[in-house]
């Protein structure tokens, strides 16, 4: 009580504490987003990851608020050390999670511990700040209102800054360290501004300075750290790493094998990609009555476009890929453009960087063949591109005898997912034919072929490396371990994303 009475008698300016509240809230929401985003990136199932993170975080904040009642004195000292602790834990959270994923089998446990610890410390901060103001300000009601106002505004700023500015520009590791440094800078400013209220001022100041120096050293080496972590995630040497607003693009190389990964998922290997793309493109082209206008959705690497350009009767290819950085890279990078035969800069090709869902929703000029080459449905954003509504739009974009094909993940490793896609397409098309083949770098991979009109197959009329007239029929044969009773899987919709649930369950055992 004596120490608190001394604080009351001193002239006190609490305006800086309001700014502190704003910064604390910004940092707090960003840590929450970082942890849930990394867990979604590494573990999949973003709904589960975000739900667990938010639930645990809010509960831990409640525990922190409850524990704050046991802190009765040295409020400034407690607050400063709590703020430094949040800065250290939150600042290194990305590093800890990535390293845990690479080198241990206890990722979930470490993630839970991080969420709970950061949440408890953040939960302690606002009650302690409130009591500091109660002890030193006469207009308590006004200042309490200001604290909570700044707290909520900070949450809004952080939730906007992370996806729009910080993550696209800096990535996970550097963003976390930058935000952690803000927490430690806040603690140092509090120490310097309110030194008369802090016991053992010099020691506390020096500890704050040491923590700041350490985290700033990591901040300036963030790119190096990120590269080292990525080297642990990928088997081969990384020759390109680029974060776009939509995905993380990584290209690796081992001897002559170029591999492209999006958000950690392999998109192609130069050694065998022709198998996948020949099956994806030439099967529907053999069934199509006309090749005049072709639509490719996804396929920003230009490899499917390369195969389509083998047909002399193609007049126009429209490629719709949301990520301009992806299509620019695959148009200009010498190694990828060599692989795709410079297909993305061909005069017949028109690239549209737009959400494929919006494109097929608004497009009016029909296509003879639609080739869908999206990443696997491992999150809710991609799920809409595998729904009954989306396939209805696809049907309306096809000519009277048009043909559609959709990459449909693996009928062996992700059996329910494959047949869920098949069943969903059947809600819009009368005739849907599944087929598959072995791609060494992927394993068994499947596709679904759908028709607006009749389904008469023509001859293979272009040069290929894998497909022949003799082996074509084998693509349509499925083993007993790749089939499933369609009654046990649900159709996929916008309102109930069953496919994401199936896929994330199966990928755990993949």
């Amino acid at each position: 009580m004596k120490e608190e009475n001394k604080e009351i008698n001193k002239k006190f300016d609490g305006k800086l504490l309001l700014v502190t509240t704003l910064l604390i809230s910004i940092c707090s929401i960003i840590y929450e987003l970082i942890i849930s985003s990394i867990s979604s990136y590494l573990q999949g199932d973003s709904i589960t990851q975000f739900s667990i993170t938010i639930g645990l975080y809010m509960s831990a904040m409640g525990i922190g608020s409850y524990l704050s009642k046991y802190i009765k004195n040295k409020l400034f000292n407690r607050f400063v050390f709590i703020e430094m602790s949040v800065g250290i834990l939150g600042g290194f959270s990305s590093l800890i999670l990535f390293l845990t994923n690479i080198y241990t089998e206890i990722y979930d446990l470490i993630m839970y511990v991080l969420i709970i610890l950061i949440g408890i410390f953040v939960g302690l901060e606002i009650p302690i700040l409130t009591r500091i103001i109660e002890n030193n300000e006469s207009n308590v009601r006004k200042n309490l209102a200001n604290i909570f106002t700044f707290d909520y505004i900070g949450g809004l700023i952080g939730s906007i800054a992370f996806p729009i500015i910080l993550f696209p520009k800096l990535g996970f590791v550097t963003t976390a360290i930058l935000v952690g440094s803000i927490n430690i800078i806040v603690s140092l400013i509090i120490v310097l501004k309110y030194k008369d209220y802090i016991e053992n001022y010099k020691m506390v100041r020096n500890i704050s300075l040491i923590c700041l120096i350490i985290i700033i050293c990591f901040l300036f080496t963030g790119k190096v750290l990120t590269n080292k972590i990525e080297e642990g995630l990928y088997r081969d040497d990384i020759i390109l790493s680029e974060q776009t607003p939509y995905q993380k693009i990584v290209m690796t190389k081992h001897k002559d094998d170029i591999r492209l990964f999006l958000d950690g998922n392999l998109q192609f290997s130069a050694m065998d990609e022709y198998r996948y793309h020949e099956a994806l493109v030439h099967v529907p082209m053999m069934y199509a009555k006309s090749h005049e206008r072709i639509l490719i959705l996804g396929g920003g690497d230009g490899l499917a476009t390369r195969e389509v350009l083998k047909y002399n009767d193609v007049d126009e290819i429209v490629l719709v890929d949301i990520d301009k950085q992806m299509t620019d890279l695959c148009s200009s990078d010498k190694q990828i453009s060599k692989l795709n035969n410079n297909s993305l800069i061909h005069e017949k090709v028109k690239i549209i960087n737009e959400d494929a869902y919006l494109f097929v929703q608004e497009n009016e000029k029909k296509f003879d063949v639609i080739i869908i080459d999206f990443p696997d449905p491992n999150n809710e954003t991609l799920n809409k591109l595998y729904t009954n509504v989306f396939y209805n739009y696809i049907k309306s974009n096809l000519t009277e005898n048009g043909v559609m094909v959709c990459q449909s993940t693996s009928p062996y490793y992700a059996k329910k997912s494959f047949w869920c896609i098949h069943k969903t397409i059947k809600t819009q098309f009368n005739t849907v034919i599944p087929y598959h083949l072995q791609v060494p770098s992927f394993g068994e991979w499947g596709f679904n072929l759908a028709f607006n009109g009749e389904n008469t197959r023509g001859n293979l009329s272009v040069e290929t490396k894998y497909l022949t007239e003799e082996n074509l029929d084998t693509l349509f044969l499925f083993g007993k371990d790749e089939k499933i009773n369609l009654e046990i899987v649900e159709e996929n919709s916008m309102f109930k994303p069953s496919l994401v649930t199936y896929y994330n369950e199966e990928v755990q055992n993949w």
Side-chain angles (χ1 to χ4, degrees), residues 95-115:
L95 272 174
I96 292 169
L97 290 175
F98 277 115
L99 293 173
T100 299
N101 181 69
I102 295 170
Y103 297 112
T104 76
E105 300 293 330
I106 55 170
Y107 177 88
D108 288 344
L109 175 62
I110 299 300
M111 177 189 69
Y112 298 149
V113 170
L114 268 177
I115 293 170

Side-chain angles (χ1 to χ4, degrees), residues 324-504:
K324 188 176 187 302
Q325 285 177 246
M326 175 68 175
T327 52
D328 286 350
L329 170 68
C330 296
S331 300
S332 59
D333 182 84
K334 291 182 179 180
Q335 296 181 93
I336 298 181
S337 57
K338 180 181 178 182
L339 200 59
N340 65 33
N341 290 343
N342 293 302
S343 63
L344 295 181
I345 59 173
H346 195 280
E347 58 184 10
K348 291 184 180 181
V349 178
K350 179 182 180 182
I351 296 174
I352 299 175
N353 295 117
E354 183 183 344
D355 186 331
Y357 191 92
L358 295 178
F359 177 84
V360 296
Q361 189 177 35
E362 298 168 358
N363 177 62
E364 295 180 355
K365 195 172 180 182
K366 295 182 183 291
F367 295 90
D368 299 300
V369 179
I370 297 179
I371 298 166
I372 303 175
D373 191 20
F374 296 135
D376 283 355
N378 59 4
N379 61 59
E380 289 68 32
T381 302
L382 288 167
N383 179 77
K384 70 178 182 179
L385 302 174
Y386 289 87
T387 58
N388 48 9
V389 175
F390 181 74
Y391 294 130
N392 180 262
Y393 288 136
I394 293 294
K395 185 178 177 69
S396 67
N397 275 261
L398 283 170
T399 57
E400 184 178 351
N401 288 306
V403 181
M404 179 275 281
V405 68
C406 175
Q407 92 79 9
S408 305
T409 193
S410 173
Y412 180 79
Y413 298 106
K415 193 183 304 184
K416 285 186 178 180
S417 302
F418 178 85
W419 293 108
C420 172
I421 295 169
H422 175 82
K423 188 172 183 177
T424 306
I425 296 173
K426 281 180 71 71
T427 64
Q428 307 303 320
F429 291 87
N430 291 328
T431 305
V432 182
I433 302 176
Y435 65 99
H436 64 123
L437 82 162
Q438 181 71 216
V439 183
S441 60
F442 283 168
E444 198 71 15
W445 214 259
F447 310 85
N448 276 286
L449 194 63
F451 305 87
N452 243 0
E454 58 181 275
N455 59 329
T456 304
R457 193 171 85 198
N459 295 321
L460 185 62
S461 59
V462 296
E463 185 180 343
T464 58
K465 291 183 178 181
Y466 173 74
L467 286 182
T468 65
E469 292 285 355
E470 289 73 26
N471 68 15
L472 271 166
D473 288 337
T474 65
L475 272 62
F476 299 93
L477 302 176
F478 286 80
K480 289 176 68 175
D481 59 350
E482 294 171 319
K483 294 180 180 178
I484 201 170
N485 184 347
L486 288 181
E487 292 182 3
I488 72 171
V489 293
E490 298 179 348
E491 298 161 10
N492 190 44
S493 71
M494 298 281 282
F495 304 104
K496 189 177 181 183
S498 306
L499 179 59
V500 176
T501 302
Y502 294 142
Y503 184 85
N504 286 317

Side-chain angles (χ1 to χ4, degrees), residues 29-51:
I29 194 71
I30 290 175
Y31 293 139
E32 206 172 336
L33 292 169
I34 285 173
I35 293 172
S36 50
S37 297
I38 289 175
S39 296
S40 299
Y41 177 70
L42 296 175
Q43 306 285 308
D45 194 358
S46 59
I47 286 181
T48 299
Q49 302 303 338
F50 274 85
S51 297

Side-chain angles (χ1 to χ4, degrees), residues 196-246:
D196 294 334
Y197 299 85
I198 293 177
E199 291 190 7
N200 301 314
Y201 163 72
K202 289 185 178 180
M203 182 189 73
V204 175
R205 180 198 62 192
N206 291 340
I207 292 173
S208 298
L209 283 169
I210 291 169
C211 289
L212 182 60
I213 290 168
I214 291 171
I215 203 163
I216 285 177
C217 289
F218 276 92
L219 180 62
F220 284 105
T221 58
K223 182 65 175 177
V224 176
L225 291 171
T226 301
N227 291 340
K228 290 294 183 183
I229 290 172
E230 284 183 339
E231 287 174 6
L233 291 172
Y234 299 98
R235 183 188 69 181
D236 302 328
D237 295 335
I238 296 172
I239 58 174
L240 181 142
S241 178
E242 190 173 314
Q243 178 66 54
T244 80
Y246 304 101

